[in-house]
Structure formats: structure tokens, C-alpha cells
Amino acid sequence: MEPYKVLVWGDSIARQNEVPWPESCRYSFEVSCFCGRVVEFINIAQCGLAAVHGQNYFEEKVRPVQPDLVVIQFGFNDMRHDTAHNGAPVDMPDQYEEAMCNMIRNARSTGAEVLVLGNHNFSFGALRLYPTGLNGDETVDVYRKRAERAAEKEGAAFINMAEVLENQGLDPRQATCDGCHLSPDGVRVYAITVGNFILKRLLAL
């Protein structure tokens, strides 16, 4: 039987750890959740990548894989204000939503199912003020809601990781190691959450 291919399309949330959550998820399918079909992870996540740029990876890095499931998560870099963008975020919420829709639509055109992950909150979110006048948590929520709306529009599944972490008793200070990137506990929750989603799909085949 061919492996069940999971492609992870995102930013440093899926990349910047000694053992990123996709690798942790892959390992769990090998040692504790194997159900008769190998689960292969292809992680094309890239540190610093925003959705408006990540959408351009489809032809080169997504289509050739012909994945069974594509997991998409962007947002933290999209909301970032830097000197290259004259006081504006890397991409505005409307641009972000459009890019997310494009990625979902393109991924589904390969026959893949799509899961969109809504970002967790910053550990310092209520303290940091953005040039828009919103604080960090409010800004994350704006982009998270746009990700959810894109998923709804394009027929993708959506999981709000802020809610998942909260339900597991982890506040952002515990779920992150530097206020944004995942701590070991955050990695575990991400890996288990996505792993459960995959296992349900495998058991239904």
C-alpha cells in the first residue's frame, strides 16, 4: 500500500524546533499509532515565510508530491510590520485571506484534503502594540479569523490551535519557548492534534 502523504505548508511554527511538530507526529505513527499504513510527512515550511509568498510554492513544491493531506498554517509573518513595507504589515488581512484561499484551492486541485491550522496566541500578545492600534492577541485573532473564513470558503477543515492549547491547560507562556515558537509541550499538542486528525482519516479509508 502506498504511504499516506502529508505535506506541511507553513512557516517557522512547523520548522523552528529541535524536533518540529511534523517530525514528532511522524514518529508517533511509527511507534505508537501505526494502523497498517505508513504516514509520510513532507515538510516544506520555511522560517520567515508569509502566506502571500508561500502561495508561490505550489507548482514547485506541492503539486509534484501529490499529497493525500495538506496542512496549511501561516499568519505570524503576514502580520509583521518591518521597514521594507513602509509601516504596513507584510500583507493586509484581505491579501492574507486571498493567499490562503489560493493555497487551499490549489492543494485541493491535486485531490488532497486540506487542514488549516489557526495560530495560537503570543505569550506577550496583550502587551505588544502594533502600528494598527491593535495589540498582539487582537492581531493574531484578525488573521486567525481570516484563515478560518478561507477554509470555510474553499471547503477545508479548520482547527483553532489557540483553543486546543487552552483546552489542554496550556497558556501561551507554557506553549511557546520565546513567546511565539512552540515549546516542547506546544510541539506535543500540535503533533497529537494533527495526528488524531490523520488517524481518523486513515481509519475511515
Side-chain angles (χ1 to χ4, degrees):
M1 185 178 294
E2 291 292 319
Y4 184 87
K5 295 181 182 179
V6 180
L7 184 137
V8 181
W9 197 355
D11 54 26
S12 56
I13 301 305
R15 180 62 73 180
Q16 191 166 320
N17 291 89
E18 184 176 348
V19 181
W21 73 255
E23 177 64 15
S24 177
C25 195
R26 181 200 62 78
Y27 182 72
S28 73
F29 275 103
E30 288 186 357
V31 302
S32 60
C33 294
F34 183 67
C35 63
R37 188 171 181 185
V38 171
V39 179
E40 178 182 344
F41 281 80
I42 302 93
N43 187 357
I44 66 167
Q46 182 176 314
C47 296
L49 193 63
V52 71
H53 304 127
Q55 66 181 327
N56 298 324
Y57 286 15
F58 175 70
E59 292 294 342
E60 178 186 357
K61 297 187 177 183
V62 181
R63 186 193 292 278
V65 173
Q66 291 295 299
D68 296 287
L69 173 68
V70 176
V71 182
I72 301 174
Q73 183 179 25
F74 287 93
F76 284 123
N77 294 303
D78 301 86
M79 66 184 71
R80 192 181 70 235
H81 291 66
D82 61 32
T83 55
H85 294 84
N86 298 316
V90 172
D91 50 297
M92 298 292 288
D94 285 348
Q95 294 172 296
Y96 169 75
E97 183 177 335
E98 181 180 0
M100 292 293 286
C101 284
N102 286 339
M103 284 186 280
I104 297 167
R105 193 179 308 122
N106 284 335
R108 293 193 69 205
S109 75
T110 69
E113 185 176 7
V114 177
L115 170 62
V116 175
L117 301 180
N119 281 329
H120 53 271
N121 289 328
F122 292 121
S123 65
F124 48 81
L127 294 176
R128 169 169 285 181
L129 185 67
Y130 277 73
T132 58
L134 300 177
N135 69 32
D137 285 346
E138 291 167 337
T139 305
V140 171
D141 192 53
V142 167
Y143 284 78
R144 183 168 52 225
K145 286 177 177 175
R146 291 303 189 101
E148 183 174 15
R149 190 158 76 176
E152 184 177 352
K153 282 181 181 178
E154 301 297 335
F158 179 83
I159 297 177
N160 183 336
M161 291 307 301
E163 290 182 354
V164 172
L165 290 165
E166 182 180 355
N167 290 340
Q168 294 303 311
L170 292 178
D171 68 31
R173 289 170 296 178
Q174 298 165 312
T176 65
C177 61
D178 58 6
C180 177
H181 299 102
L182 297 174
S183 68
D185 282 342
V187 167
R188 287 188 195 97
V189 173
Y190 263 72
I192 291 169
T193 300
V194 177
N196 287 344
F197 183 91
I198 294 168
L199 187 58
K200 289 176 183 177
R201 296 311 187 266
L202 292 174
L203 294 176
L205 292 176

